[in-house]
Amino acid sequence: MATGIDRPSSSNLSILESVLEHVRSAAPPGARIELAIETDLSDAGLDSLARMDVVNRIEQQYKIRFKEETLYDLESVQDLVALIENELDPELGAFAPSVRGPVRGRNSVVADGTELIQEVQHARAIELPNASSGTTPTTVRLSEVDQFEARVVGITNAGLKLPFYRVSERVQGTNAVIAGREVVSFTSFDYVGMARDVRVAEAAKEAIDRFGTSASASRLVGGNNTLLEDLDRELADFIGAEAASVFPSGYGTNASLFGHLFNEEDLILYDDLAHNSIVQGAKLSNAKRRAFPHNDAAFLDDLLTDVRSSYRRVVIAIEGVYSMDGDFPDLPHFLDVKHRHNAMLFVDEAHSIGVMGPHGRGLCEHFGVSADEGDLWMGTISKALGSSGGYMAGRRSLIDYLKYTTPSMVFSTAASPASAAAALTAIRLLKREPERVARMQEQSRLMLKLSRDSGLNTGDSHLTPIVPVILGNSKLCLWMSEQLLARGINAQPILYPAVPENASRLRFFITADHSDEDIWRTVQSLIELVPLGRRLLND
Ligand code: PMP
């Protein structure tokens, strides 16, 4: 690729030095390459997340914002130096657009004057302080907002509708009313029918009568109540852990926990398909972090053999069930790696609690191992437990410490009384009615079998309620979602960049309440519509 510099001058020598420093600190453990101006970022071990991390740090340091498209084919240290050089135009100061013709491809030549003018206006409007004079209000334009808008317009111009933020007017179990029409929904995490159970609803209503609609404070300082305390105990017993504590939110639990327990002396290793809350938490921690290939415990074993001794703490973060693919990890193998390398194991059971194991007690029950073997059992009450909130379970001493110190617990209002009562009742019901779990597992087996027998690609999904139908074309996924809705079936697409384009898919969440008829009808519609859509979209 073309570069903006041949040989480092004295001014760009310091740029080079700081780029090398950023790359060095983002490089994963075990990357032993000598860094130089020509070093390829992949050779330095930087995956896409680590590259973005480097880019973010550079943007902060130089107070610049690179155009998104200039980042697509960033290959080497030299490319980064050239990008910075291009942004630091002496005439306009640090916020200048790339008028000298940025480094690469699409951007290397300013194709016409309009684009240039837009670039200049854009950069000034976005970034330059005091860009307006007098009383004229300043319009702050953000490049990512413009790009998003362009993407939405592109979809609409292609005659497609965005299926996100679809509005339900009423929801009753698996049935919803959308745009005045009754549909069967495959978009809910209510895996074992708790959110529609009258006993759960009654408990939530009573809790409002007794405690009001809000906990009105964090648990630590006034928001605690008997419902939350009972729920802590029920959860610990259900999971088989010494103790558990209900947090205000599942997302917040992860986003806060990693930064709380781990710092620059530590290493966080998370599955390549880990939920955004885990990745964000890891980012906030300042620990070294690295994604490892999906479900690959053997890879971790090799890596830790090389690097374990360089770190104070190492944590391996996995999920009980992966919500994009509907597969799950080989827990005993991960436990073995954890023990061999004196690492901690964090398991996010958001989609496995209430789902895996004969009684829905989660991944430990599925594999017949004790929760004492792992360290940090995180989960949510927002899915199979028909409520809203998160939890942490594990050794009592650790949970006590987390209750008193984790920012998302200490500084956030507790889960509402209605939420606590709903989850508490849901767990007690599930203990008495494990057949709900068997029913959900039976229905998801039916969906998987019918789909596979019809030649649909369901990826690695097995034994879980999440069944993706991989179509490999975002437009086709959008079209399918719309067509299914017209037939009274509500299913959401998962598109690039959430997954690679060739893995774009429709995702079906199967619950105990879906009837055989719901599932037959859905697979029949898929069989009829997919070939039609491919023909129409010339796929
Ligand atoms: N972890 C995983 C794996 C999830 O899928 C989610 C939510 N979809 C969360 C954490 C966040 O949980 P909550 O919705 O309870 O905030």
Side-chain angles (χ1 to χ4, degrees):
M1 143 179 186
T3 62
I5 51 172
D6 296 329
R7 188 158 49 83
S9 69
S10 59
S11 66
N12 59 34
L13 198 64
S14 64
I15 295 179
L16 173 62
E17 278 159 6
S18 66
V19 169
L20 288 175
E21 189 46 46
H22 288 310
V23 171
R24 203 169 288 121
S25 67
R32 296 196 186 98
I33 188 165
E34 192 73 33
L35 294 180
I37 186 157
E38 62 280 358
T39 302
D40 197 284
L41 297 176
S42 311
D43 294 342
L46 264 59
D47 61 12
S48 54
L49 271 173
R51 279 173 204 223
M52 286 321 294
D53 200 28
V54 170
V55 164
N56 289 341
R57 288 186 207 186
I58 291 174
E59 286 181 332
Q60 276 169 25
Q61 179 185 352
Y62 289 98
K63 303 207 169 18
I64 53 181
R65 180 183 284 277
F66 298 125
K67 289 195 197 65
E68 198 72 20
E69 59 273 23
T70 61
L71 304 176
Y72 292 150
D73 29 48
L74 207 53
E75 280 162 15
S76 63
V77 169
Q78 193 160 14
D79 292 347
L80 276 166
V81 173
L83 260 187
I84 299 170
E85 270 226 309
N86 244 323
E87 289 295 322
L88 297 177
D89 185 298
E91 279 178 18
L92 289 172
F95 301 102
S98 307
V99 286
R100 283 180 290 153
V103 207
R104 68 174 53 85
R106 267 183 290 173
N107 269 15
S108 59
V109 183
V110 178
D112 65 42
T114 330
E115 191 180 329
L116 176 59
I117 290 161
Q118 280 170 351
E119 276 191 343
V120 175
Q121 285 173 337
H122 183 63
R124 285 188 165 153
I126 295 173
E127 314 286 6
L128 278 176
N130 305 323
S132 70
S133 60
T135 54
T136 318
T138 316
T139 313
V140 178
R141 305 262 317 264
L142 303 178
S143 55
E144 60 269 40
V145 175
D146 293 347
Q147 278 160 22
F148 173 76
E149 201 174 20
R151 226 178 148 210
V152 172
V153 169
I155 289 171
T156 319
N157 287 349
L160 298 163
K161 275 197 203 119
L162 269 186
F164 308 113
Y165 289 93
R166 226 172 236 169
V167 181
S168 298
E169 288 141 29
R170 192 166 54 79
V171 176
Q172 197 113 54
T174 54
N175 291 337
V177 176
I178 295 176
R181 172 160 190 215
E182 182 124 343
V183 299
V184 57
S185 275
F186 291 92
T187 55
S188 157
F189 304 134
D190 187 22
Y191 297 124
V192 284
M194 292 299 179
R196 56 98 192 145
D197 191 291
V198 286
R199 291 161 292 180
V200 174
E202 273 311 314
K205 289 174 197 167
E206 277 169 29
I208 291 177
D209 291 343
R210 200 156 141 226
F211 294 102
T213 52
S214 167
S216 302
S218 86
R219 288 187 72 175
L220 188 76
V221 290
N224 206 15
N225 57 48
T226 49
L227 294 169
L228 285 160
E229 288 287 310
D230 287 350
L231 181 54
D232 287 350
R233 276 188 291 274
E234 284 287 359
L235 271 168
D237 177 63
F238 193 60
I239 297 158
E242 262 179 35
S245 189
V246 176
F247 278 53
S249 125
Y251 190 100
T253 305
N254 287 348
S256 184
L257 182 90
F258 288 94
H260 185 51
L261 291 182
F262 306 101
N263 65 28
E264 42 287 302
E265 295 173 81
D266 304 326
L267 173 64
I268 300 173
L269 296 163
Y270 53 85
D271 190 283
D272 212 13
L273 297 188
H275 190 256
N276 176 277
S277 53
I278 295 175
V279 180
Q280 287 299 325
K283 271 190 185 171
L284 288 171
S285 71
N286 285 330
K288 283 274 187 244
R289 58 198 152 81
R290 175 172 182 162
F292 61 84
H294 182 48
N295 276 339
D296 198 342
F299 175 95
L300 274 187
D301 201 5
D302 284 350
L303 178 72
L304 288 173
T305 303
D306 280 354
V307 306
R308 174 65 187 95
S309 59
S310 309
Y311 297 96
R312 182 184 66 139
R313 294 177 186 161
V314 171
V315 60
I316 301 166
I318 58 175
E319 291 179 23
V321 165
Y322 288 90
S323 63
M324 288 290 172
D325 290 71
D327 62 347
F328 56 94
D330 179 356
L331 180 64
H333 197 171
F334 279 95
L335 283 169
D336 180 49
V337 173
K338 166 213 143 49
H339 290 306
R340 278 161 42 72
H341 297 285
N342 188 26
M344 297 179 85
L345 185 68
F346 166 98
V347 185
D348 178 335
E349 292 233 76
H351 294 275
S352 50
I353 198 75
V355 165
M356 296 298 280
H359 302 86
R361 291 174 185 237
L363 208 57
C364 285
E365 189 189 29
H366 177 83
F367 282 105
V369 302
S370 157
D372 290 344
E373 295 224 18
D375 302 277
L376 298 157
W377 297 94
M378 180 269 167
T380 78
I381 53 173
S382 325
K383 294 168 170 81
L385 299 180
S387 183
S388 184
Y391 69 79
M392 283 303 311
R395 293 250 172 239
R396 181 170 305 285
S397 53
L398 176 62
I399 298 305
D400 282 346
Y401 170 73
L402 293 177
K403 275 168 68 168
Y404 273 86
T405 57
T406 313
S408 65
M409 175 69 123
V410 174
F411 300 109
S412 186
T413 303
S416 75
S419 293
L424 181 60
T425 310
I427 293 195
R428 288 175 174 163
L429 277 179
L430 204 49
K431 283 181 173 171
R432 290 206 303 271
E433 299 173 5
E435 62 276 10
R436 288 166 177 261
V437 182
R439 164 82 183 159
M440 175 273 294
Q441 290 169 349
E442 202 177 302
Q443 293 314 84
S444 72
R445 255 197 313 276
L446 177 65
M447 176 71 184
L448 205 58
K449 179 172 178 356
L450 291 180
S451 304
R452 286 200 176 142
D453 289 353
S454 316
L456 295 166
N457 177 3
T458 52
D460 294 330
S461 168
H462 66 298
L463 298 177
T464 78
I466 300 162
V467 180
V469 171
I470 300 168
L471 300 174
N473 177 330
S474 288
K475 276 198 183 138
L476 179 61
C477 292
L478 284 167
W479 184 85
M480 284 292 300
S481 177
E482 211 177 310
Q483 294 300 314
L484 286 172
L485 191 66
R487 291 181 178 213
I489 297 163
N490 182 25
Q492 285 281 314
I494 308 286
L495 311 174
Y496 174 85
V499 291
E501 173 62 15
N502 65 5
S504 51
R505 63 199 55 193
L506 290 166
R507 185 172 53 166
F508 295 85
F509 292 105
I510 309 297
T511 74
D513 289 340
H514 282 111
S515 68
D516 289 5
E517 159 67 17
D518 293 336
I519 294 171
W520 278 100
R521 193 161 67 83
T522 300
V523 176
Q524 187 56 40
S525 294
L526 287 167
I527 301 168
E528 288 164 18
L529 288 168
V530 171
L532 182 64
R534 287 205 194 281
R535 272 203 304 283
L536 276 172
L537 297 167
N538 291 323
D539 181 40

mmCIF file of all heavy atoms in Angstrom, residues 189 249-251 254 275 277 319 323 348 350-351 378 380 382-383 389, ligand 1:
data_model
loop_
_atom_site.group_PDB
_atom_site.id
_atom_site.type_symbol
_atom_site.label_atom_id
_atom_site.label_comp_id
_atom_site.label_asym_id
_atom_site.label_seq_id
_atom_site.Cartn_x
_atom_site.Cartn_y
_atom_site.Cartn_z
ATOM 1 N N PHE A 189 -36.250 -13.915 25.103
ATOM 2 C CA PHE A 189 -35.406 -14.783 25.939
ATOM 3 C C PHE A 189 -36.222 -15.472 27.034
ATOM 4 O O PHE A 189 -35.654 -16.047 27.951
ATOM 5 C CB PHE A 189 -34.341 -13.948 26.668
ATOM 6 C CG PHE A 189 -33.462 -13.109 25.789
ATOM 7 C CD1 PHE A 189 -33.212 -11.782 26.122
ATOM 8 C CD2 PHE A 189 -32.847 -13.636 24.670
ATOM 9 C CE1 PHE A 189 -32.373 -10.997 25.346
ATOM 10 C CE2 PHE A 189 -31.998 -12.863 23.890
ATOM 11 C CZ PHE A 189 -31.765 -11.547 24.227
ATOM 12 N N SER A 249 -27.972 -4.651 37.052
ATOM 13 C CA SER A 249 -28.110 -4.962 35.625
ATOM 14 C C SER A 249 -27.073 -5.999 35.214
ATOM 15 O O SER A 249 -25.963 -6.032 35.760
ATOM 16 C CB SER A 249 -27.942 -3.676 34.798
ATOM 17 O OG SER A 249 -26.928 -3.812 33.822
ATOM 18 N N GLY A 250 -27.441 -6.837 34.251
ATOM 19 C CA GLY A 250 -26.503 -7.849 33.764
ATOM 20 C C GLY A 250 -25.344 -7.195 33.033
ATOM 21 O O GLY A 250 -24.171 -7.496 33.300
ATOM 22 N N TYR A 251 -25.681 -6.287 32.135
ATOM 23 C CA TYR A 251 -24.636 -5.608 31.349
ATOM 24 C C TYR A 251 -23.670 -4.887 32.296
ATOM 25 O O TYR A 251 -22.446 -5.007 32.185
ATOM 26 C CB TYR A 251 -25.271 -4.615 30.369
ATOM 27 C CG TYR A 251 -24.270 -4.086 29.381
ATOM 28 C CD1 TYR A 251 -24.204 -4.602 28.090
ATOM 29 C CD2 TYR A 251 -23.360 -3.084 29.738
ATOM 30 C CE1 TYR A 251 -23.260 -4.145 27.185
ATOM 31 C CE2 TYR A 251 -22.414 -2.635 28.857
ATOM 32 C CZ TYR A 251 -22.372 -3.154 27.572
ATOM 33 O OH TYR A 251 -21.431 -2.696 26.688
ATOM 34 N N ASN A 254 -20.970 -7.024 34.191
ATOM 35 C CA ASN A 254 -19.754 -7.338 33.434
ATOM 36 C C ASN A 254 -18.909 -6.094 33.181
ATOM 37 O O ASN A 254 -17.684 -6.117 33.328
ATOM 38 C CB ASN A 254 -20.117 -7.965 32.079
ATOM 39 C CG ASN A 254 -20.610 -9.385 32.250
ATOM 40 O OD1 ASN A 254 -20.468 -9.963 33.318
ATOM 41 N ND2 ASN A 254 -21.204 -9.934 31.204
ATOM 42 N N HIS A 275 -19.772 -11.671 24.777
ATOM 43 C CA HIS A 275 -20.734 -10.568 24.727
ATOM 44 C C HIS A 275 -20.021 -9.222 24.891
ATOM 45 O O HIS A 275 -19.001 -9.114 25.583
ATOM 46 C CB HIS A 275 -21.746 -10.762 25.866
ATOM 47 C CG HIS A 275 -22.925 -9.847 25.782
ATOM 48 N ND1 HIS A 275 -23.066 -8.751 26.597
ATOM 49 C CD2 HIS A 275 -24.004 -9.861 24.993
ATOM 50 C CE1 HIS A 275 -24.202 -8.143 26.319
ATOM 51 N NE2 HIS A 275 -24.797 -8.801 25.339
ATOM 52 N N SER A 277 -20.597 -6.779 26.725
ATOM 53 C CA SER A 277 -20.402 -6.319 28.112
ATOM 54 C C SER A 277 -19.088 -6.849 28.689
ATOM 55 O O SER A 277 -18.435 -6.170 29.495
ATOM 56 C CB SER A 277 -21.572 -6.765 28.996
ATOM 57 O OG SER A 277 -21.782 -8.160 28.880
ATOM 58 N N GLU A 319 -18.804 -18.020 28.061
ATOM 59 C CA GLU A 319 -20.250 -17.939 28.302
ATOM 60 C C GLU A 319 -20.843 -19.339 28.406
ATOM 61 O O GLU A 319 -20.309 -20.284 27.817
ATOM 62 C CB GLU A 319 -20.924 -17.154 27.179
ATOM 63 C CG GLU A 319 -20.540 -15.702 27.218
ATOM 64 C CD GLU A 319 -21.169 -14.870 26.104
ATOM 65 O OE1 GLU A 319 -22.211 -15.276 25.562
ATOM 66 O OE2 GLU A 319 -20.593 -13.816 25.790
ATOM 67 N N SER A 323 -24.978 -16.587 22.423
ATOM 68 C CA SER A 323 -26.300 -16.181 21.949
ATOM 69 C C SER A 323 -26.356 -15.912 20.455
ATOM 70 O O SER A 323 -27.440 -15.716 19.912
ATOM 71 C CB SER A 323 -26.778 -14.952 22.712
ATOM 72 O OG SER A 323 -25.911 -13.874 22.466
ATOM 73 N N ASP A 348 -20.250 -16.456 32.049
ATOM 74 C CA ASP A 348 -21.461 -15.646 31.922
ATOM 75 C C ASP A 348 -22.603 -16.596 31.570
ATOM 76 O O ASP A 348 -22.654 -17.137 30.463
ATOM 77 C CB ASP A 348 -21.238 -14.586 30.827
ATOM 78 C CG ASP A 348 -22.466 -13.722 30.590
ATOM 79 O OD1 ASP A 348 -23.585 -14.181 30.871
ATOM 80 O OD2 ASP A 348 -22.300 -12.596 30.084
ATOM 81 N N ALA A 350 -25.783 -15.879 31.281
ATOM 82 C CA ALA A 350 -26.996 -15.150 30.872
ATOM 83 C C ALA A 350 -27.971 -16.062 30.110
ATOM 84 O O ALA A 350 -29.177 -16.044 30.364
ATOM 85 C CB ALA A 350 -26.624 -13.938 30.024
ATOM 86 N N HIS A 351 -27.434 -16.862 29.182
ATOM 87 C CA HIS A 351 -28.325 -17.694 28.352
ATOM 88 C C HIS A 351 -28.304 -19.166 28.747
ATOM 89 O O HIS A 351 -28.887 -19.989 28.046
ATOM 90 C CB HIS A 351 -27.950 -17.552 26.871
ATOM 91 C CG HIS A 351 -28.197 -16.179 26.351
ATOM 92 N ND1 HIS A 351 -29.423 -15.765 25.871
ATOM 93 C CD2 HIS A 351 -27.376 -15.105 26.261
ATOM 94 C CE1 HIS A 351 -29.340 -14.504 25.497
ATOM 95 N NE2 HIS A 351 -28.110 -14.067 25.728
ATOM 96 N N MET A 378 -21.281 -15.522 36.711
ATOM 97 C CA MET A 378 -22.121 -14.344 36.483
ATOM 98 C C MET A 378 -23.386 -14.801 35.747
ATOM 99 O O MET A 378 -23.372 -15.814 35.040
ATOM 100 C CB MET A 378 -21.333 -13.343 35.625
ATOM 101 C CG MET A 378 -22.056 -12.065 35.285
ATOM 102 S SD MET A 378 -22.936 -12.267 33.713
ATOM 103 C CE MET A 378 -23.981 -10.831 33.720
ATOM 104 N N THR A 380 -27.757 -13.451 34.495
ATOM 105 C CA THR A 380 -28.792 -12.419 34.541
ATOM 106 C C THR A 380 -30.109 -13.072 34.944
ATOM 107 O O THR A 380 -30.315 -14.267 34.717
ATOM 108 C CB THR A 380 -28.997 -11.697 33.185
ATOM 109 O OG1 THR A 380 -29.760 -12.543 32.338
ATOM 110 C CG2 THR A 380 -27.689 -11.349 32.520
ATOM 111 N N SER A 382 -32.639 -11.647 33.665
ATOM 112 C CA SER A 382 -33.424 -10.983 32.614
ATOM 113 C C SER A 382 -33.942 -11.931 31.533
ATOM 114 O O SER A 382 -34.684 -11.510 30.658
ATOM 115 C CB SER A 382 -32.573 -9.939 31.892
ATOM 116 O OG SER A 382 -31.670 -9.305 32.738
ATOM 117 N N LYS A 383 -33.488 -13.174 31.571
ATOM 118 C CA LYS A 383 -33.852 -14.043 30.440
ATOM 119 C C LYS A 383 -34.778 -15.158 30.913
ATOM 120 O O LYS A 383 -35.969 -14.915 31.078
ATOM 121 C CB LYS A 383 -32.574 -14.499 29.759
ATOM 122 C CG LYS A 383 -31.931 -13.231 29.147
ATOM 123 C CD LYS A 383 -30.558 -13.365 28.666
ATOM 124 C CE LYS A 383 -30.132 -12.150 27.894
ATOM 125 N NZ LYS A 383 -29.690 -11.004 28.628
ATOM 126 N N GLY A 389 -32.189 -7.786 35.548
ATOM 127 C CA GLY A 389 -31.103 -7.584 36.511
ATOM 128 C C GLY A 389 -30.007 -8.607 36.294
ATOM 129 O O GLY A 389 -30.122 -9.490 35.436
HETATM 130 N N1 PMP B 1 -24.259 -11.286 28.997
HETATM 131 C C1 PMP B 1 -24.789 -11.872 27.911
HETATM 132 C C2 PMP B 1 -24.105 -13.078 27.335
HETATM 133 C C3 PMP B 1 -25.937 -11.354 27.315
HETATM 134 O O1 PMP B 1 -26.447 -11.916 26.229
HETATM 135 C C4 PMP B 1 -26.540 -10.205 27.892
HETATM 136 C C5 PMP B 1 -27.803 -9.574 27.311
HETATM 137 N N2 PMP B 1 -28.247 -9.988 26.128
HETATM 138 C C6 PMP B 1 -25.963 -9.638 29.018
HETATM 139 C C7 PMP B 1 -24.814 -10.198 29.558
HETATM 140 C C8 PMP B 1 -26.553 -8.407 29.663
HETATM 141 O O2 PMP B 1 -27.601 -8.774 30.478
HETATM 142 P P1 PMP B 1 -28.839 -7.793 30.805
HETATM 143 O O3 PMP B 1 -29.715 -7.816 29.590
HETATM 144 O O4 PMP B 1 -29.454 -8.458 31.971
HETATM 145 O O5 PMP B 1 -28.274 -6.460 31.097
#
